[in-house]
Amino acid sequence: MTPIASRRLILRGALFGVACACAGAGARVAYAADDPPKSPTGKWTCPPCGCPNDGKEFDAPGACSAPGCGMDLVPVPKKS
């Protein structure tokens, strides 16, 4: 095997390894981001932003339905 061919083989292997590592890391991040946080009360609310839904409670996670808001709902904490 010529020196150029062996360098190409090593480079291909290294690039393949990096691509696999990056793909695996991306899958873990995407999976973690898909898990919504748990709510101790089972209720969700829009974070204070000045929209009409401030303080309104919802039964499921998602995005705020107020026009122009769209922020992710956050868990309502237990009252002490």
Side-chain angles (χ1 to χ4, degrees):
M1 192 179 305
T2 65
I4 292 176
S6 65
R7 286 183 194 146
R8 286 183 182 162
L9 185 61
I10 291 171
L11 184 58
R12 279 187 200 157
L15 289 175
F16 180 74
V18 169
C20 289
C22 289
R28 284 191 298 273
V29 171
Y31 179 76
D34 289 341
D35 259 354
K38 306 291 184 230
S39 174
T41 59
K43 297 289 184 178
W44 303 83
T45 188
C46 180
C49 67
C51 78
N53 283 348
D54 278 356
K56 184 176 177 184
E57 293 186 356
F58 299 89
D59 293 328
C64 179
S65 59
C69 182
M71 292 180 69
D72 287 338
L73 300 176
V74 296
V76 174
K78 284 186 178 180
K79 294 181 171 123
S80 346

Short mmCIF file of all heavy atoms in Angstrom, two decimals:
data_model
loop_
_atom_site.label_atom_id
_atom_site.label_comp_id
_atom_site.label_asym_id
_atom_site.label_seq_id
_atom_site.Cartn_x
_atom_site.Cartn_y
_atom_site.Cartn_z
N MET A 1 0.85 -1.16 0.00
CA MET A 1 0.00 0.00 0.00
C MET A 1 0.91 1.23 0.00
O MET A 1 1.87 1.30 0.74
CB MET A 1 -0.90 -0.02 1.24
CG MET A 1 -1.98 0.99 1.16
SD MET A 1 -3.14 1.06 2.56
CE MET A 1 -3.76 -0.56 2.71
N THR A 2 0.52 2.21 -0.78
CA THR A 2 1.34 3.43 -0.85
C THR A 2 1.06 4.31 0.36
O THR A 2 0.00 4.21 0.98
CB THR A 2 1.01 4.22 -2.14
OG1 THR A 2 -0.33 4.67 -2.06
CG2 THR A 2 1.22 3.39 -3.37
N PRO A 3 2.01 5.18 0.70
CA PRO A 3 1.81 6.06 1.87
C PRO A 3 0.57 6.95 1.74
O PRO A 3 -0.11 7.21 2.72
CB PRO A 3 3.08 6.90 1.93
CG PRO A 3 4.10 6.13 1.17
CD PRO A 3 3.36 5.33 0.16
N ILE A 4 0.26 7.41 0.52
CA ILE A 4 -0.90 8.28 0.34
C ILE A 4 -2.19 7.50 0.59
O ILE A 4 -3.11 7.99 1.23
CB ILE A 4 -0.89 8.90 -1.07
CG1 ILE A 4 0.28 9.88 -1.19
CG2 ILE A 4 -2.20 9.59 -1.38
CD1 ILE A 4 0.46 10.48 -2.56
N ALA A 5 -2.26 6.26 0.11
CA ALA A 5 -3.44 5.43 0.30
C ALA A 5 -3.65 5.14 1.78
O ALA A 5 -4.78 5.16 2.27
CB ALA A 5 -3.33 4.14 -0.50
N SER A 6 -2.59 4.87 2.53
CA SER A 6 -2.75 4.56 3.95
C SER A 6 -3.18 5.81 4.72
O SER A 6 -3.96 5.73 5.67
CB SER A 6 -1.46 3.99 4.53
OG SER A 6 -0.42 4.93 4.50
N ARG A 7 -2.70 6.98 4.33
CA ARG A 7 -3.13 8.22 4.99
C ARG A 7 -4.62 8.46 4.75
O ARG A 7 -5.36 8.88 5.64
CB ARG A 7 -2.32 9.41 4.47
CG ARG A 7 -0.92 9.44 4.99
CD ARG A 7 -0.19 10.67 4.50
NE ARG A 7 1.23 10.52 4.73
CZ ARG A 7 2.17 10.99 3.96
NH1 ARG A 7 1.86 11.67 2.87
NH2 ARG A 7 3.44 10.81 4.24
N ARG A 8 -5.05 8.20 3.52
CA ARG A 8 -6.47 8.37 3.20
C ARG A 8 -7.34 7.42 4.01
O ARG A 8 -8.41 7.78 4.49
CB ARG A 8 -6.71 8.16 1.71
CG ARG A 8 -6.22 9.31 0.86
CD ARG A 8 -6.54 9.09 -0.58
NE ARG A 8 -6.02 10.18 -1.38
CZ ARG A 8 -5.83 10.14 -2.68
NH1 ARG A 8 -6.13 9.02 -3.34
NH2 ARG A 8 -5.36 11.17 -3.33
N LEU A 9 -6.87 6.20 4.18
CA LEU A 9 -7.62 5.21 4.95
C LEU A 9 -7.73 5.65 6.41
O LEU A 9 -8.81 5.57 7.01
CB LEU A 9 -6.93 3.84 4.85
CG LEU A 9 -7.63 2.67 5.50
CD1 LEU A 9 -9.00 2.45 4.85
CD2 LEU A 9 -6.80 1.42 5.38
N ILE A 10 -6.65 6.14 6.97
CA ILE A 10 -6.66 6.62 8.36
C ILE A 10 -7.59 7.83 8.49
O ILE A 10 -8.37 7.95 9.42
CB ILE A 10 -5.24 6.94 8.84
CG1 ILE A 10 -4.44 5.64 8.97
CG2 ILE A 10 -5.26 7.70 10.16
CD1 ILE A 10 -2.97 5.85 9.23
N LEU A 11 -7.52 8.75 7.53
CA LEU A 11 -8.37 9.94 7.56
C LEU A 11 -9.84 9.57 7.45
O LEU A 11 -10.68 10.10 8.18
CB LEU A 11 -7.97 10.89 6.43
CG LEU A 11 -8.71 12.22 6.38
CD1 LEU A 11 -8.52 12.99 7.68
CD2 LEU A 11 -8.23 13.05 5.21
N ARG A 12 -10.18 8.62 6.57
CA ARG A 12 -11.57 8.18 6.45
C ARG A 12 -12.06 7.58 7.76
O ARG A 12 -13.17 7.85 8.20
CB ARG A 12 -11.70 7.13 5.35
CG ARG A 12 -11.76 7.70 3.98
CD ARG A 12 -12.07 6.61 2.98
NE ARG A 12 -11.67 7.03 1.65
CZ ARG A 12 -11.39 6.23 0.66
NH1 ARG A 12 -11.47 4.92 0.84
NH2 ARG A 12 -11.05 6.70 -0.51
N GLY A 13 -11.23 6.75 8.39
CA GLY A 13 -11.62 6.14 9.66
C GLY A 13 -11.83 7.18 10.75
O GLY A 13 -12.77 7.10 11.53
N ALA A 14 -10.94 8.18 10.79
CA ALA A 14 -11.06 9.24 11.80
C ALA A 14 -12.33 10.05 11.56
O ALA A 14 -13.07 10.36 12.51
CB ALA A 14 -9.84 10.13 11.77
N LEU A 15 -12.61 10.40 10.32
CA LEU A 15 -13.81 11.17 10.02
C LEU A 15 -15.08 10.38 10.32
O LEU A 15 -16.05 10.92 10.83
CB LEU A 15 -13.81 11.62 8.56
CG LEU A 15 -12.79 12.70 8.20
CD1 LEU A 15 -12.81 12.97 6.70
CD2 LEU A 15 -13.06 13.98 8.97
N PHE A 16 -15.04 9.09 10.03
CA PHE A 16 -16.19 8.23 10.34
C PHE A 16 -16.42 8.19 11.85
O PHE A 16 -17.55 8.28 12.33
CB PHE A 16 -15.97 6.83 9.78
CG PHE A 16 -17.10 5.89 10.06
CD1 PHE A 16 -18.30 6.02 9.35
CD2 PHE A 16 -17.00 4.90 11.00
CE1 PHE A 16 -19.36 5.16 9.59
CE2 PHE A 16 -18.04 4.04 11.26
CZ PHE A 16 -19.23 4.18 10.55
N GLY A 17 -15.34 8.06 12.62
CA GLY A 17 -15.46 8.03 14.08
C GLY A 17 -16.02 9.33 14.64
O GLY A 17 -16.88 9.32 15.52
N VAL A 18 -15.56 10.44 14.13
CA VAL A 18 -16.06 11.74 14.58
C VAL A 18 -17.53 11.89 14.22
O VAL A 18 -18.34 12.37 15.03
CB VAL A 18 -15.22 12.89 13.97
CG1 VAL A 18 -15.87 14.23 14.20
CG2 VAL A 18 -13.81 12.88 14.55
N ALA A 19 -17.91 11.48 13.02
CA ALA A 19 -19.31 11.57 12.60
C ALA A 19 -20.20 10.72 13.49
O ALA A 19 -21.29 11.16 13.90
CB ALA A 19 -19.45 11.15 11.14
N CYS A 20 -19.76 9.53 13.84
CA CYS A 20 -20.55 8.66 14.72
C CYS A 20 -20.68 9.28 16.11
O CYS A 20 -21.74 9.23 16.72
CB CYS A 20 -19.92 7.28 14.81
SG CYS A 20 -20.08 6.32 13.30
N ALA A 21 -19.60 9.83 16.62
CA ALA A 21 -19.63 10.44 17.95
C ALA A 21 -20.58 11.63 17.97
O ALA A 21 -21.35 11.82 18.91
CB ALA A 21 -18.22 10.86 18.36
N CYS A 22 -20.53 12.45 16.92
CA CYS A 22 -21.41 13.62 16.87
C CYS A 22 -22.87 13.20 16.72
O CYS A 22 -23.75 13.80 17.33
CB CYS A 22 -21.01 14.54 15.72
SG CYS A 22 -19.46 15.39 16.01
N ALA A 23 -23.13 12.20 15.94
CA ALA A 23 -24.50 11.73 15.76
C ALA A 23 -25.05 11.18 17.06
O ALA A 23 -26.20 11.43 17.41
CB ALA A 23 -24.56 10.67 14.66
N GLY A 24 -24.25 10.45 17.79
CA GLY A 24 -24.69 9.91 19.08
C GLY A 24 -24.95 11.00 20.09
O GLY A 24 -25.92 10.95 20.84
N ALA A 25 -24.11 12.01 20.13
CA ALA A 25 -24.29 13.12 21.07
C ALA A 25 -25.55 13.89 20.72
O ALA A 25 -26.30 14.31 21.60
CB ALA A 25 -23.08 14.04 21.05
N GLY A 26 -25.82 14.10 19.44
CA GLY A 26 -27.02 14.81 19.02
C GLY A 26 -28.28 14.06 19.41
O GLY A 26 -29.27 14.65 19.81
N ALA A 27 -28.25 12.75 19.32
CA ALA A 27 -29.41 11.95 19.68
C ALA A 27 -29.69 12.05 21.18
O ALA A 27 -30.83 12.13 21.60
CB ALA A 27 -29.21 10.49 19.28
N ARG A 28 -28.65 12.05 21.99
CA ARG A 28 -28.84 12.17 23.43
C ARG A 28 -29.41 13.54 23.79
O ARG A 28 -30.28 13.65 24.62
CB ARG A 28 -27.53 11.93 24.17
CG ARG A 28 -27.15 10.46 24.23
CD ARG A 28 -26.00 10.25 25.19
NE ARG A 28 -24.79 10.96 24.78
CZ ARG A 28 -23.87 10.49 23.96
NH1 ARG A 28 -24.03 9.31 23.43
NH2 ARG A 28 -22.80 11.18 23.66
N VAL A 29 -28.93 14.59 23.16
CA VAL A 29 -29.42 15.93 23.46
C VAL A 29 -30.87 16.05 23.02
O VAL A 29 -31.70 16.58 23.74
CB VAL A 29 -28.55 17.00 22.76
CG1 VAL A 29 -29.17 18.36 22.87
CG2 VAL A 29 -27.16 17.00 23.37
N ALA A 30 -31.20 15.54 21.84
CA ALA A 30 -32.57 15.62 21.36
C ALA A 30 -33.50 14.84 22.27
O ALA A 30 -34.60 15.27 22.56
CB ALA A 30 -32.66 15.11 19.93
N TYR A 31 -33.07 13.69 22.76
CA TYR A 31 -33.90 12.88 23.64
C TYR A 31 -34.14 13.61 24.96
O TYR A 31 -35.25 13.65 25.46
CB TYR A 31 -33.25 11.53 23.89
CG TYR A 31 -34.05 10.65 24.81
CD1 TYR A 31 -35.19 10.00 24.36
CD2 TYR A 31 -33.68 10.48 26.12
CE1 TYR A 31 -35.93 9.21 25.20
CE2 TYR A 31 -34.43 9.70 26.98
CZ TYR A 31 -35.55 9.05 26.51
OH TYR A 31 -36.29 8.29 27.35
N ALA A 32 -33.10 14.20 25.49
CA ALA A 32 -33.25 14.92 26.76
C ALA A 32 -34.16 16.13 26.59
O ALA A 32 -34.93 16.46 27.48
CB ALA A 32 -31.88 15.36 27.28
N ALA A 33 -34.10 16.79 25.46
CA ALA A 33 -34.93 17.96 25.23
C ALA A 33 -36.39 17.59 25.02
O ALA A 33 -37.28 18.40 25.25
CB ALA A 33 -34.41 18.74 24.04
N ASP A 34 -36.68 16.35 24.58
CA ASP A 34 -38.05 15.93 24.35
C ASP A 34 -38.79 15.60 25.63
O ASP A 34 -40.00 15.55 25.64
CB ASP A 34 -38.08 14.71 23.43
CG ASP A 34 -37.70 15.07 22.01
OD1 ASP A 34 -37.76 16.26 21.66
OD2 ASP A 34 -37.34 14.15 21.26
N ASP A 35 -38.07 15.38 26.72
CA ASP A 35 -38.69 15.06 28.00
C ASP A 35 -39.15 16.35 28.69
O ASP A 35 -38.33 17.13 29.14
CB ASP A 35 -37.69 14.35 28.92
CG ASP A 35 -37.90 12.87 28.96
OD1 ASP A 35 -38.89 12.40 28.38
OD2 ASP A 35 -37.09 12.19 29.60
N PRO A 36 -40.48 16.58 28.80
CA PRO A 36 -40.90 17.78 29.52
C PRO A 36 -40.65 17.61 31.01
O PRO A 36 -40.66 16.49 31.52
CB PRO A 36 -42.40 17.86 29.22
CG PRO A 36 -42.80 16.47 28.89
CD PRO A 36 -41.58 15.81 28.29
N PRO A 37 -40.40 18.69 31.72
CA PRO A 37 -40.20 18.58 33.17
C PRO A 37 -41.49 18.10 33.84
O PRO A 37 -42.58 18.29 33.31
CB PRO A 37 -39.85 20.01 33.59
CG PRO A 37 -40.30 20.88 32.49
CD PRO A 37 -40.32 20.05 31.25
N LYS A 38 -41.36 17.49 34.97
CA LYS A 38 -42.51 16.99 35.72
C LYS A 38 -43.07 18.10 36.60
O LYS A 38 -42.34 18.93 37.11
CB LYS A 38 -42.11 15.80 36.60
CG LYS A 38 -41.41 14.68 35.85
CD LYS A 38 -42.37 13.96 34.93
CE LYS A 38 -41.69 12.79 34.28
NZ LYS A 38 -41.82 12.73 32.88
N SER A 39 -44.39 18.12 36.75
CA SER A 39 -45.04 19.11 37.60
C SER A 39 -45.49 18.44 38.89
O SER A 39 -46.25 17.47 38.86
CB SER A 39 -46.24 19.72 36.89
OG SER A 39 -46.94 20.57 37.75
N PRO A 40 -45.05 18.94 40.05
CA PRO A 40 -45.46 18.32 41.32
C PRO A 40 -46.95 18.48 41.60
O PRO A 40 -47.53 17.72 42.36
CB PRO A 40 -44.62 19.06 42.37
CG PRO A 40 -44.21 20.34 41.73
CD PRO A 40 -44.16 20.07 40.25
N THR A 41 -47.59 19.46 40.99
CA THR A 41 -49.02 19.69 41.21
C THR A 41 -49.88 19.18 40.06
O THR A 41 -51.10 19.16 40.17
CB THR A 41 -49.28 21.21 41.37
OG1 THR A 41 -48.83 21.87 40.19
CG2 THR A 41 -48.58 21.77 42.58
N GLY A 42 -49.27 18.81 38.95
CA GLY A 42 -50.02 18.38 37.78
C GLY A 42 -50.56 19.55 36.98
O GLY A 42 -51.33 19.38 36.05
N LYS A 43 -50.17 20.76 37.35
CA LYS A 43 -50.62 21.97 36.66
C LYS A 43 -49.43 22.69 36.04
O LYS A 43 -48.30 22.57 36.50
CB LYS A 43 -51.34 22.92 37.63
CG LYS A 43 -52.59 22.36 38.23
CD LYS A 43 -53.68 22.28 37.19
CE LYS A 43 -54.99 21.80 37.82
NZ LYS A 43 -56.07 21.76 36.85
N TRP A 44 -49.70 23.48 35.00
CA TRP A 44 -48.68 24.23 34.27
C TRP A 44 -49.14 25.66 34.11
O TRP A 44 -50.34 25.93 34.06
CB TRP A 44 -48.47 23.59 32.90
CG TRP A 44 -48.08 22.16 33.01
CD1 TRP A 44 -48.91 21.08 33.18
CD2 TRP A 44 -46.77 21.64 33.02
NE1 TRP A 44 -48.18 19.94 33.29
CE2 TRP A 44 -46.86 20.24 33.19
CE3 TRP A 44 -45.51 22.20 32.89
CZ2 TRP A 44 -45.75 19.42 33.24
CZ3 TRP A 44 -44.42 21.39 32.94
CH2 TRP A 44 -44.53 20.01 33.11
N THR A 45 -48.22 26.60 34.02
CA THR A 45 -48.57 28.00 33.85
C THR A 45 -47.58 28.70 32.92
O THR A 45 -46.46 28.23 32.75
CB THR A 45 -48.61 28.73 35.22
OG1 THR A 45 -49.14 30.03 35.04
CG2 THR A 45 -47.25 28.82 35.86
N CYS A 46 -48.01 29.81 32.36
CA CYS A 46 -47.13 30.61 31.51
C CYS A 46 -46.23 31.45 32.42
O CYS A 46 -46.71 32.02 33.40
CB CYS A 46 -47.96 31.52 30.61
SG CYS A 46 -46.96 32.55 29.51
N PRO A 47 -44.92 31.50 32.14
CA PRO A 47 -44.06 32.35 32.95
C PRO A 47 -44.51 33.81 32.83
O PRO A 47 -45.09 34.20 31.82
CB PRO A 47 -42.67 32.19 32.34
CG PRO A 47 -42.76 31.10 31.36
CD PRO A 47 -44.20 30.84 31.06
N PRO A 48 -44.28 34.62 33.86
CA PRO A 48 -44.72 36.03 33.80
C PRO A 48 -44.08 36.75 32.62
O PRO A 48 -42.86 36.92 32.57
CB PRO A 48 -44.25 36.62 35.12
CG PRO A 48 -43.86 35.48 35.98
CD PRO A 48 -43.62 34.31 35.11
N CYS A 49 -44.91 37.15 31.67
CA CYS A 49 -44.39 37.84 30.49
C CYS A 49 -45.27 39.01 30.08
O CYS A 49 -44.97 39.69 29.12
CB CYS A 49 -44.22 36.87 29.33
SG CYS A 49 -45.77 36.22 28.71
N GLY A 50 -46.38 39.20 30.78
CA GLY A 50 -47.28 40.29 30.44
C GLY A 50 -48.41 39.91 29.50
O GLY A 50 -49.20 40.75 29.10
N CYS A 51 -48.50 38.63 29.14
CA CYS A 51 -49.58 38.20 28.23
C CYS A 51 -50.85 37.96 29.05
O CYS A 51 -50.82 37.89 30.27
CB CYS A 51 -49.17 36.95 27.45
SG CYS A 51 -49.27 35.41 28.37
N PRO A 52 -52.00 37.81 28.39
CA PRO A 52 -53.26 37.60 29.11
C PRO A 52 -53.31 36.29 29.89
O PRO A 52 -54.15 36.13 30.76
CB PRO A 52 -54.31 37.58 28.00
CG PRO A 52 -53.67 38.16 26.79
CD PRO A 52 -52.20 38.00 26.95
N ASN A 53 -52.43 35.33 29.59
CA ASN A 53 -52.44 34.04 30.29
C ASN A 53 -51.55 34.00 31.53
O ASN A 53 -51.41 32.94 32.14
CB ASN A 53 -52.02 32.91 29.34
CG ASN A 53 -53.13 32.52 28.39
OD1 ASN A 53 -54.27 32.91 28.55
ND2 ASN A 53 -52.79 31.77 27.36
N ASP A 54 -50.95 35.11 31.93
CA ASP A 54 -50.13 35.12 33.15
C ASP A 54 -50.97 34.66 34.34
O ASP A 54 -52.06 35.18 34.58
CB ASP A 54 -49.61 36.54 33.43
CG ASP A 54 -48.37 36.88 32.63
OD1 ASP A 54 -47.86 36.00 31.92
OD2 ASP A 54 -47.90 38.03 32.73
N GLY A 55 -50.47 33.66 35.06
CA GLY A 55 -51.16 33.15 36.24
C GLY A 55 -52.23 32.12 35.94
O GLY A 55 -52.71 31.46 36.85
N LYS A 56 -52.63 31.97 34.69
CA LYS A 56 -53.64 30.97 34.33
C LYS A 56 -52.98 29.59 34.37
O LYS A 56 -51.85 29.42 33.94
CB LYS A 56 -54.18 31.27 32.94
CG LYS A 56 -55.30 30.37 32.51
CD LYS A 56 -55.85 30.79 31.15
CE LYS A 56 -56.92 29.83 30.70
NZ LYS A 56 -57.41 30.17 29.35
N GLU A 57 -53.70 28.60 34.92
CA GLU A 57 -53.16 27.24 35.03
C GLU A 57 -53.73 26.35 33.94
O GLU A 57 -54.90 26.47 33.57
CB GLU A 57 -53.45 26.66 36.42
CG GLU A 57 -52.69 27.39 37.52
CD GLU A 57 -52.86 26.73 38.87
OE1 GLU A 57 -53.62 25.76 39.01
OE2 GLU A 57 -52.21 27.22 39.81
N PHE A 58 -52.87 25.44 33.45
CA PHE A 58 -53.24 24.48 32.40
C PHE A 58 -53.01 23.07 32.93
O PHE A 58 -52.22 22.85 33.83
CB PHE A 58 -52.40 24.72 31.14
CG PHE A 58 -52.59 26.09 30.55
CD1 PHE A 58 -51.79 27.15 30.96
CD2 PHE A 58 -53.55 26.32 29.58
CE1 PHE A 58 -51.95 28.42 30.41
CE2 PHE A 58 -53.72 27.58 29.03
CZ PHE A 58 -52.92 28.63 29.45
N ASP A 59 -53.70 22.10 32.33
CA ASP A 59 -53.60 20.71 32.78
C ASP A 59 -52.48 19.92 32.14
O ASP A 59 -52.19 18.80 32.55
CB ASP A 59 -54.92 19.97 32.52
CG ASP A 59 -56.06 20.52 33.38
OD1 ASP A 59 -55.79 20.96 34.51
OD2 ASP A 59 -57.21 20.49 32.92
N ALA A 60 -51.83 20.47 31.11
CA ALA A 60 -50.78 19.73 30.40
C ALA A 60 -49.68 20.69 29.97
O ALA A 60 -49.92 21.88 29.80
CB ALA A 60 -51.37 19.03 29.18
N PRO A 61 -48.45 20.16 29.80
CA PRO A 61 -47.36 21.02 29.31
C PRO A 61 -47.59 21.38 27.85
O PRO A 61 -48.40 20.76 27.16
CB PRO A 61 -46.11 20.15 29.47
CG PRO A 61 -46.62 18.76 29.43
CD PRO A 61 -47.99 18.79 30.03
N GLY A 62 -46.90 22.40 27.40
CA GLY A 62 -47.02 22.83 26.01
C GLY A 62 -46.58 24.27 25.88
O GLY A 62 -45.79 24.76 26.68
N ALA A 63 -47.12 24.94 24.90
CA ALA A 63 -46.80 26.35 24.67
C ALA A 63 -48.00 27.20 25.04
O ALA A 63 -49.15 26.77 24.93
CB ALA A 63 -46.45 26.58 23.20
N CYS A 64 -47.72 28.41 25.49
CA CYS A 64 -48.77 29.36 25.86
C CYS A 64 -49.60 29.67 24.61
O CYS A 64 -49.06 29.90 23.53
CB CYS A 64 -48.16 30.62 26.44
SG CYS A 64 -49.39 31.87 26.89
N SER A 65 -50.91 29.71 24.79
CA SER A 65 -51.81 29.93 23.66
C SER A 65 -52.16 31.40 23.43
O SER A 65 -52.89 31.72 22.51
CB SER A 65 -53.10 29.13 23.87
OG SER A 65 -53.72 29.55 25.09
N ALA A 66 -51.62 32.29 24.26
CA ALA A 66 -51.92 33.72 24.10
C ALA A 66 -51.30 34.23 22.80
O ALA A 66 -50.18 33.86 22.46
CB ALA A 66 -51.39 34.51 25.28
N PRO A 67 -52.01 35.10 22.10
CA PRO A 67 -51.46 35.66 20.86
C PRO A 67 -50.15 36.40 21.12
O PRO A 67 -50.06 37.20 22.04
CB PRO A 67 -52.54 36.63 20.37
CG PRO A 67 -53.78 36.23 21.09
CD PRO A 67 -53.35 35.61 22.37
N GLY A 68 -49.13 36.08 20.35
CA GLY A 68 -47.84 36.75 20.47
C GLY A 68 -46.95 36.21 21.57
O GLY A 68 -45.85 36.70 21.77
N CYS A 69 -47.39 35.22 22.33
CA CYS A 69 -46.56 34.68 23.42
C CYS A 69 -45.84 33.42 22.95
O CYS A 69 -44.72 33.48 22.51
CB CYS A 69 -47.38 34.41 24.67
SG CYS A 69 -46.36 33.79 26.04
N GLY A 70 -46.48 32.27 23.08
CA GLY A 70 -45.90 31.01 22.62
C GLY A 70 -44.80 30.46 23.51
O GLY A 70 -44.12 29.51 23.14
N MET A 71 -44.58 31.05 24.70
CA MET A 71 -43.53 30.54 25.61
C MET A 71 -43.93 29.17 26.13
O MET A 71 -45.11 28.84 26.24
CB MET A 71 -43.33 31.51 26.79
CG MET A 71 -42.73 32.83 26.39
SD MET A 71 -42.51 33.95 27.79
CE MET A 71 -41.22 33.11 28.69
N ASP A 72 -42.91 28.34 26.47
CA ASP A 72 -43.18 27.03 27.05
C ASP A 72 -43.78 27.21 28.44
O ASP A 72 -43.31 28.03 29.24
CB ASP A 72 -41.89 26.22 27.16
CG ASP A 72 -41.41 25.73 25.81
OD1 ASP A 72 -42.22 25.64 24.88
OD2 ASP A 72 -40.20 25.44 25.70
N LEU A 73 -44.85 26.43 28.72
CA LEU A 73 -45.45 26.46 30.05
C LEU A 73 -44.50 25.83 31.04
O LEU A 73 -43.76 24.91 30.71
CB LEU A 73 -46.79 25.73 30.03
CG LEU A 73 -47.84 26.28 29.08
CD1 LEU A 73 -49.09 25.40 29.11
CD2 LEU A 73 -48.21 27.72 29.42
N VAL A 74 -44.52 26.32 32.28
CA VAL A 74 -43.64 25.81 33.33
C VAL A 74 -44.48 25.15 34.41
O VAL A 74 -45.65 25.50 34.60
CB VAL A 74 -42.77 26.94 33.94
CG1 VAL A 74 -41.82 27.51 32.89
CG2 VAL A 74 -43.63 28.04 34.52
N PRO A 75 -43.90 24.17 35.15
CA PRO A 75 -44.66 23.50 36.21
C PRO A 75 -45.05 24.49 37.31
O PRO A 75 -44.29 25.37 37.66
CB PRO A 75 -43.69 22.46 36.75
CG PRO A 75 -42.62 22.32 35.72
CD PRO A 75 -42.57 23.61 34.98
N VAL A 76 -46.26 24.29 37.85
CA VAL A 76 -46.70 25.08 39.01
C VAL A 76 -46.14 24.39 40.25
O VAL A 76 -46.40 23.20 40.46
CB VAL A 76 -48.24 25.15 39.07
CG1 VAL A 76 -48.70 25.83 40.35
CG2 VAL A 76 -48.78 25.86 37.85
N PRO A 77 -45.38 25.09 41.09
CA PRO A 77 -44.80 24.45 42.28
C PRO A 77 -45.86 24.21 43.36
O PRO A 77 -46.93 24.84 43.36
CB PRO A 77 -43.78 25.48 42.76
CG PRO A 77 -44.22 26.78 42.20
CD PRO A 77 -44.97 26.47 40.94
N LYS A 78 -45.57 23.27 44.25
CA LYS A 78 -46.45 23.02 45.39
C LYS A 78 -46.43 24.21 46.31
O LYS A 78 -45.39 24.85 46.50
CB LYS A 78 -45.98 21.78 46.17
CG LYS A 78 -46.30 20.49 45.51
CD LYS A 78 -45.93 19.34 46.41
CE LYS A 78 -46.30 18.04 45.76
NZ LYS A 78 -45.96 16.89 46.61
N LYS A 79 -47.58 24.51 46.88
CA LYS A 79 -47.65 25.61 47.84
C LYS A 79 -47.29 25.07 49.22
O LYS A 79 -47.73 24.01 49.61
CB LYS A 79 -49.05 26.21 47.85
CG LYS A 79 -49.38 26.87 46.55
CD LYS A 79 -50.76 27.48 46.56
CE LYS A 79 -50.91 28.29 45.30
NZ LYS A 79 -52.01 27.94 44.48
N SER A 80 -46.45 25.81 49.94
CA SER A 80 -46.04 25.33 51.26
C SER A 80 -47.02 25.71 52.33
O SER A 80 -47.74 26.58 52.32
CB SER A 80 -44.69 25.89 51.69
OG SER A 80 -43.95 26.48 50.74
#
